[in-house]
Amino acid sequence: MSIVSLDSNPLREGLSSARTASPCTIVIFGASGDLTERMLIPSLFSLSEQRLVPPELSILGISRRQYSDGEFRSKVKPDAGNATNWESFSRGVFYMSGNHHEAETFARLKVKLEEIDHNRGTQGNRLFYLAVAPDDFPLILSYLSSEGLLDPPDYADPDDNWVRIILEKPFGVDLASATKLNKDILKLVPESKVYRIDHYLGKETVQNILAFRFANCIFEPVWNRRYIDHIQITAAEALGVEERAGYYDHFGALKDMVQNHLLQLLALVAMEPPASVLDDSVRDEKVKVFKALRIYKPEQVAANVIRAQYGPGFIDGKPVPGYLQEKNVAPDSRTETYAAARFWVDNWRWEGVPFYLRTGKRLARKVTEIAIVFKPAPLMLFAANAGDKLEPNLLVLRIGPDEGISLRFGTKIPGMTRRLRWVNMDFDYGTSFARPSPPAYARLLHDCMIGDPTLYNRGDAVELAWHSTQPILDAWAADTEPVPTYEAGREGPRLAETWMEDEGRYWRKL
Amino acid sequence: VTSEEVRNLLFVRESVELDPYRIPATLSKLFKDFQQEHPDEHAVRLCCHNLLIVCSTPLEARGLGADLDELLQQYPGRAVAVVLDAEHSGPVSGFLGVYTHRHQMAGQLIGLHFPASGAPLPSMVAPLWQDGLPLVTFWRGSPPYAESWFLALVENCTRLVVNSGVTGGQSLQEVIEPLLPLWSLMRDPYLASQAFTDVSWARLCVWRDWIAGLFDRPDRRKLLPYIDNVELEGWSLPGDTVPHLSVLYLAAWLAHPLGWKLTRPLQPVPGGYEARFNDFPVRFYTRSSDDPEFLGRPVRCTFRGHYQGEPFRLSVERDSNDSSTLVLGGSGPGCGSVGHRLHLDRLNNLALMGQELETDRRDQLFESALETLLAMTGNLVEVV
């Protein structure tokens, strides 16, 4: 008998699939929803085709609708993929009709999970994916707890087996609700088992921010208040509210984008180097950024945050209605479809450097990017005329579309003059690597199955992010002035332009 | 073959004739012209790697054009494809094809039809490489290990990929022969920063993946130390009496991570060959096929053993009716739930080249496997 360490699979050494998940059952609450069909099952199937999950992986969908296993499998079958592989994969896809507001559902769930463990060898590893309204999270967790489902079953090996919970966003609708939700959840289950998902963090280009900053030593020395003038984080969409109008009208741009996605990007840009990327260090450093975010007093909000609603206009040459004319939007709605905010990170690195965040619907084009605008050179050696101002260096991290990185710098135009021209050095993520980026949900589901929470939000981070946006929501709730509008298909409200111009800065063109 | 025929083998899209002795100057002009044609764009050169492909004979260049074309679209870089031709008595002929992506110059393919002796080759290609980027050399056919110019090429590259298993063999020595000079190169202290691999090994990654998958479950992982019998089967050409190199690699790979020590080298036994590790048998069987495409592909890998007195068996094998489907089977403690059928994506040449372009360091597993393989066939002592 040979003696080798069996803590991990020794045969995985050197393979691209080194981080393969152990067999488990993924229980999806709210399984009849769009997310299961559009994101979760295709992501899990693609992980299976890449051999990143074991063939024993089992999925159990739960919702009130009546489906047989076969009907559910047909409903969620992805368009892409190999037929033989789907046949094998789908044998592990099950459905159970049940109301998650009723205890009886969970008693049946327990029996079903034991049956799957027995038949499929999933060994009591369970991942509960809660794709339901956040108000229902504590209820589901309390029923799971009552049935003893928040711990591996008796027959599982306590050293090897696990139970984890993914909570789909939104995590609360304001600071009070998020705090209460955290409190209610953590009464039932420890933070180490809770994975709060923000699909933005699963995007390859978002993860690349850390690699870019901390794997290259040429950027970090200038990544501070001494060299950076300001930072712009933009998430613009050309689309309107579409079929999400009912949901969106209760949320608006600040809650839908700024409080979560854009503040997450800000944290990745502003954080200090983590001690490791293999433990909780990244999340610790992000929390430090959120703690350093300046909290506005109600009277400071108007000067630092702008909101607006899109009016009618043109997108791709076609007329589009204004927000108030959209279906399922209240005709007197004051919900913002555009938000721009100036945030300050009050620490040594970023003192005096504004972070401008903007997001909006029905803007000129779809773009998500982080622009690092450096300070101009201290001496205008190459200015053509006295008083000329040179453009600053600019580093743009393009999250999408056209994922990549570009750096703008000045170079001398050949000839007898001293004239400069600004050129962009461009790195295109898509053309530099043949391998396509995995879908964000695939990455995040896989991380959860292998027990890596780095790309998930921790409870304290979520509350701190709400803490910095709550005063804005409060001030807007108290504001009776009409919400400004902007023409659909344009750069946003004129107010946002003048707001920047007054500071001698300007937004990047969309 | 004529130079024009070589051109057709290497290029599936437009190419121009190139003076092989003025390549750097031609490339320099190419960039200037490109910039002039796109005055409003900030043109940059997109380049991720340097690639040298040498075909020992024109025969080795068959099918290369389409693979290279796709590769250069997916992996922007500079590629030089050289066809050595014993029949070619004239001067070196050159061709150039250009790849662009939006406003970026995203790759150049330089084709050279070369006389059989490649002696001038290192000096011709050295000025072409983009500084600071990896240089991967693929050798199609039998590499001229004994030639000093071959060594000069190897010294310049970051990764050398050879294919030692293009044919089967009648004797073990015949199969192992091509590996001996490769092993010598790998042990050369002056080539410590070069990485090496063999296509027969690189292709095994899919099988290694599935075999590893059998033991992902912790309860099945516990069986690993109790394996006391392994059977491996691979396809060979009719008449080949010894196992193909790739199947030998598979056994040699298993030995290292599982800590198996060779206790008896490979010997013929009824129906196949057998080596012993930790005193248990690892048996090799061959299945014949006329189809050269099948040559060297593994067919079956079966593990047997006893755990707490109970026998167990785990296997990965091709479906007998559909060779692109793998069946994972098992019996015994913790193995009963195995029973999956999975589609097997064969690593085609393009994917294989891409995989090698993305690898940037020495493959210690390959080196260990090669060492074990040589020991298994009784060749290690001789080489050392």
Side-chain angles (χ1 to χ4, degrees):
Chain A
M1 191 176 87
S2 60
I3 301 168
V4 289
S5 167
L6 297 177
D7 292 341
S8 57
N9 183 350
L11 297 176
R12 286 276 171 210
E13 186 193 336
L15 290 171
S16 59
S17 57
R19 300 201 319 162
T20 297
S22 47
C24 68
T25 305
I26 300 179
V27 180
I28 304 172
F29 288 95
S32 60
D34 191 35
L35 184 76
T36 306
E37 191 176 333
R38 210 163 42 86
M39 294 291 177
L40 302 184
I41 300 291
S43 295
L44 290 166
F45 182 47
S46 91
L47 288 172
S48 160
E49 291 216 290
Q50 294 167 67
R51 302 180 293 281
L52 290 167
V53 291
E56 292 89 352
L57 177 78
S58 305
I59 298 160
L60 174 62
I62 299 183
S63 74
R64 272 186 281 199
R65 292 200 187 163
Q66 296 286 340
Y67 294 116
S68 65
D69 286 342
E71 286 167 340
F72 186 64
R73 287 168 190 163
S74 305
K75 172 179 156 57
V76 298
K77 184 182 178 193
D79 295 333
N82 175 273
T84 306
N85 289 345
W86 172 254
E87 194 188 316
S88 187
F89 178 86
S90 66
R91 265 190 260 138
V93 177
F94 306 96
Y95 183 80
M96 197 184 99
S97 173
N99 183 342
H100 62 249
H101 293 89
E102 293 169 5
E104 170 273 337
T105 301
F106 294 83
R108 282 194 291 126
L109 172 62
K110 185 176 184 178
V111 173
K112 182 73 182 173
L113 285 173
E114 285 172 3
E115 182 190 313
I116 292 173
D117 281 344
H118 178 74
N119 293 341
R120 308 252 319 151
T122 41
Q123 305 190 299
N125 293 323
R126 279 131 197 206
L127 195 170
F128 296 105
Y129 197 114
L130 275 53
V132 296
D135 290 349
D136 291 347
F137 293 167
L139 179 75
I140 292 176
L141 292 177
S142 73
Y143 279 133
L144 289 172
S145 176
S146 306
E147 290 294 340
L149 290 170
L150 291 178
D151 290 305
D154 297 340
Y155 50 82
D157 180 340
D159 294 332
D160 283 325
N161 298 112
W162 47 266
V163 173
R164 296 179 190 126
I165 294 125
I166 294 182
L167 304 175
E168 185 53 55
K169 78 162 200 139
F171 195 82
V173 292
D174 54 20
L175 176 60
S177 62
T179 307
K180 182 173 184 307
L181 205 49
N182 260 342
K183 205 170 146 194
D184 291 347
I185 289 167
L186 296 178
K187 266 188 226 161
L188 296 161
V189 59
E191 176 70 36
S192 60
K193 290 184 177 179
V194 180
Y195 290 66
R196 295 171 193 79
I197 201 164
D198 179 345
H199 71 273
Y200 244 58
L201 294 179
K203 287 175 184 274
E204 200 77 48
T205 39
V206 172
Q207 295 166 55
N208 194 42
I209 296 170
L210 289 185
F212 181 79
R213 285 192 59 196
F214 302 128
N216 300 290
C217 69
I218 57 170
F219 299 108
E220 201 50 27
V222 297
W223 207 266
N224 55 49
R225 69 179 188 280
R226 195 164 167 204
Y227 297 98
I228 293 177
D229 179 75
H230 71 280
I231 291 171
Q232 295 182 22
I233 302 178
T234 300
E237 288 182 72
L239 287 176
V241 286
E242 315 294 316
E243 71 281 2
R244 289 178 75 221
Y247 161 85
Y248 194 87
D249 204 35
H250 289 99
F251 267 73
L254 194 80
K255 288 184 191 176
D256 191 47
M257 292 296 292
V258 177
Q259 183 275 334
N260 38 57
H261 304 323
L262 296 199
L263 283 182
Q264 288 293 332
L265 294 182
L266 182 152
L268 290 170
V269 171
M271 66 186 260
E272 295 299 317
S276 165
V277 290
L278 301 175
D279 56 19
D280 226 18
S281 301
V282 171
R283 302 204 298 177
D284 288 342
E285 293 304 333
K286 280 163 59 183
V287 161
K288 287 182 198 166
V289 173
F290 290 136
K291 282 183 179 168
L293 279 179
R294 191 179 298 174
I295 310 293
Y296 291 127
K297 296 190 176 85
E299 63 273 19
Q300 294 174 315
V301 167
N304 287 287
V305 191
I306 286 170
R307 63 172 166 169
Q309 258 178 6
Y310 64 80
F314 292 86
I315 297 279
D316 294 332
K318 293 179 188 145
V320 292
Y323 180 65
L324 296 181
Q325 290 82 52
E326 297 275 16
K327 200 175 151 195
N328 295 330
V329 170
D332 57 348
S333 172
R334 295 175 57 77
T335 301
E336 79 285 356
T337 62
Y338 178 97
R342 182 195 296 110
F343 280 93
W344 300 92
V345 180
D346 289 330
N347 63 18
W348 275 46
R349 186 189 281 259
W350 297 113
E351 181 55 37
V353 179
F355 286 73
Y356 297 101
L357 275 54
R358 68 172 160 166
T359 182
K361 292 198 172 289
R362 285 274 188 247
L363 293 173
R365 73 183 176 100
K366 179 180 170 62
V367 58
T368 304
E369 64 169 36
I370 299 164
I372 318 288
V373 184
F374 288 87
K375 291 183 174 173
L379 188 60
M380 302 292 134
L381 280 177
F382 295 94
N385 302 299
D388 271 6
K389 195 175 168 189
L390 285 179
E391 289 289 313
N393 291 113
L394 177 72
L395 178 70
V396 180
L397 310 175
R398 294 191 304 269
I399 310 295
D402 300 333
E403 295 89 340
I405 295 167
S406 74
L407 177 66
R408 180 175 71 184
F409 57 90
T411 181
K412 183 180 175 301
I413 296 173
M416 307 304 280
T417 68
R418 289 200 195 115
R419 286 171 54 219
L420 295 189
R421 178 174 160 190
W422 291 92
V423 294
N424 282 342
M425 192 159 67
D426 217 4
F427 160 72
D428 192 328
Y429 217 86
T431 54
S432 299
F433 299 99
R435 188 172 300 158
S437 298
Y441 271 98
R443 170 65 199 243
L444 292 169
L445 284 163
H446 182 251
D447 278 5
C448 181
M449 281 186 271
I450 61 170
D452 181 353
T454 308
L455 300 177
Y456 285 84
N457 284 326
R458 216 165 56 190
D460 52 351
V462 172
E463 281 185 38
L464 284 164
W466 274 116
H467 200 55
S468 57
T469 41
Q470 188 61 45
I472 303 169
L473 294 169
D474 293 342
W476 283 354
D479 183 12
T480 53
E481 292 292 311
V483 178
T485 58
Y486 58 97
E487 191 181 327
R490 305 291 288 269
E491 297 273 321
R494 178 68 195 132
L495 184 60
E497 304 285 331
T498 52
W499 185 63
M500 286 288 264
E501 285 161 15
D502 290 346
E503 298 187 1
R505 299 182 174 114
Y506 55 89
W507 289 112
R508 277 174 50 76
K509 292 290 278 181
L510 292 176
Chain B
V1 295
T2 65
S3 290
E4 202 51 38
E5 284 167 327
V6 167
R7 181 182 189 169
N8 291 334
L9 286 171
L10 299 179
F11 293 86
V12 294
R13 60 171 67 198
E14 190 186 349
S15 64
V16 294
E17 284 188 26
L18 175 72
D19 179 348
Y21 300 99
R22 285 183 47 80
I23 302 176
T26 308
L27 289 174
S28 180
K29 184 174 180 306
L30 181 78
F31 286 119
K32 281 183 188 155
D33 291 349
F34 189 82
Q35 190 81 58
Q36 279 168 9
E37 286 166 22
H38 304 81
D40 300 328
E41 305 279 8
H42 298 158
V44 292
R45 302 171 197 180
L46 193 59
C47 188
C48 302
H49 61 82
N50 300 295
L51 173 64
L52 172 65
I53 299 185
V54 185
C55 304
S56 299
T57 65
L59 217 58
E60 303 289 348
R62 277 182 312 183
L64 183 58
D67 284 344
L68 274 176
D69 186 64
E70 205 166 329
L71 188 82
L72 281 164
Q73 291 178 60
Q74 292 185 20
Y75 293 84
R78 180 168 293 172
V80 179
V82 180
V83 177
L84 299 175
D85 184 358
E87 311 285 312
H88 184 47
S89 53
V92 181
S93 311
F95 308 96
L96 171 68
V98 177
Y99 291 79
T100 56
H101 177 77
R102 296 196 202 131
H103 55 278
Q104 296 174 326
M105 181 73 83
Q108 303 90 44
L109 172 60
I110 295 152
L112 299 174
H113 183 202
F114 225 84
S117 169
L121 187 58
S123 67
M124 285 176 71
V125 295
L128 303 181
W129 306 132
Q130 303 272 354
D131 196 29
L133 293 172
L135 164 53
V136 180
T137 299
F138 278 85
W139 207 281
R140 292 165 73 109
S142 183
Y145 287 109
E147 302 283 353
S148 62
W149 61 266
F150 173 75
L151 196 62
L153 281 178
V154 176
E155 282 171 351
N156 258 320
C157 74
T158 51
R159 189 168 191 80
L160 173 69
V161 186
V162 300
N163 189 359
S164 307
V166 282
T167 59
Q170 302 293 316
S171 69
L172 272 181
Q173 207 50 39
E174 201 181 327
V175 172
I176 298 305
E177 203 71 53
L179 298 177
L180 301 179
L182 177 64
W183 175 248
S184 295
L185 277 186
M186 282 163 49
R187 309 300 289 175
D188 187 334
Y190 293 103
L191 299 175
S193 57
Q194 273 73 11
F196 300 88
T197 199
D198 187 341
V199 169
S200 296
W201 161 263
R203 280 197 197 285
L204 289 178
C205 66
V206 181
W207 269 79
R208 285 167 55 205
D209 222 340
W210 284 122
I211 292 171
L214 287 174
F215 299 99
D216 278 333
R217 277 174 49 172
D219 62 332
R220 260 189 243 144
R221 208 180 300 151
K222 286 178 190 153
L223 304 177
L224 281 169
Y226 298 94
I227 291 170
D228 57 22
N229 183 302
V230 180
E231 288 181 2
L232 292 158
E233 188 172 357
W235 263 306
S236 291
L237 292 172
D240 285 350
T241 52
V242 293
H244 188 270
L245 190 56
S246 63
V247 185
L248 296 175
Y249 268 132
L250 209 50
W253 159 65
L254 286 166
H256 176 68
L258 298 181
W260 295 348
K261 296 275 177 285
L262 183 73
T263 48
R264 199 177 77 191
L266 210 55
Q267 289 181 356
V269 292
Y273 273 76
E274 180 189 287
R276 291 187 86 88
F277 288 87
N278 294 358
D279 280 331
F280 66 77
V282 175
R283 292 209 175 93
F284 300 87
Y285 300 101
T286 52
R287 191 180 293 185
S288 283
S289 169
D290 287 332
D291 188 343
E293 276 289 299
F294 282 22
L295 178 66
R297 294 194 204 177
V299 175
R300 175 172 66 94
C301 178
T302 305
F303 300 92
R304 289 193 181 84
H306 291 80
Y307 182 69
Q308 296 181 338
E310 275 191 73
F312 67 84
R313 180 186 63 83
L314 283 165
S315 67
V316 181
E317 63 185 299
R318 289 179 196 269
D319 187 314
S320 54
N321 299 317
D322 171 13
S323 66
S324 65
T325 296
L326 284 186
V327 182
L328 278 63
S331 60
C335 307
S337 61
V338 189
H340 305 283
R341 293 168 57 80
L342 303 147
H343 175 73
L344 176 69
D345 277 322
R346 186 164 193 253
L347 203 60
N348 59 27
N349 287 332
L350 177 68
L352 189 119
M353 285 198 275
Q355 175 182 289
E356 292 307 316
L357 286 175
E358 288 180 4
T359 310
D360 59 356
R361 64 191 70 154
R362 280 187 93 126
D363 182 350
Q364 298 298 339
L365 270 177
F366 167 62
E367 298 190 15
S368 306
L370 181 52
E371 184 174 3
T372 304
L373 194 156
L374 293 174
M376 213 161 75
T377 52
N379 283 279
L380 191 61
V381 177
E382 192 182 318
V383 173
V384 170

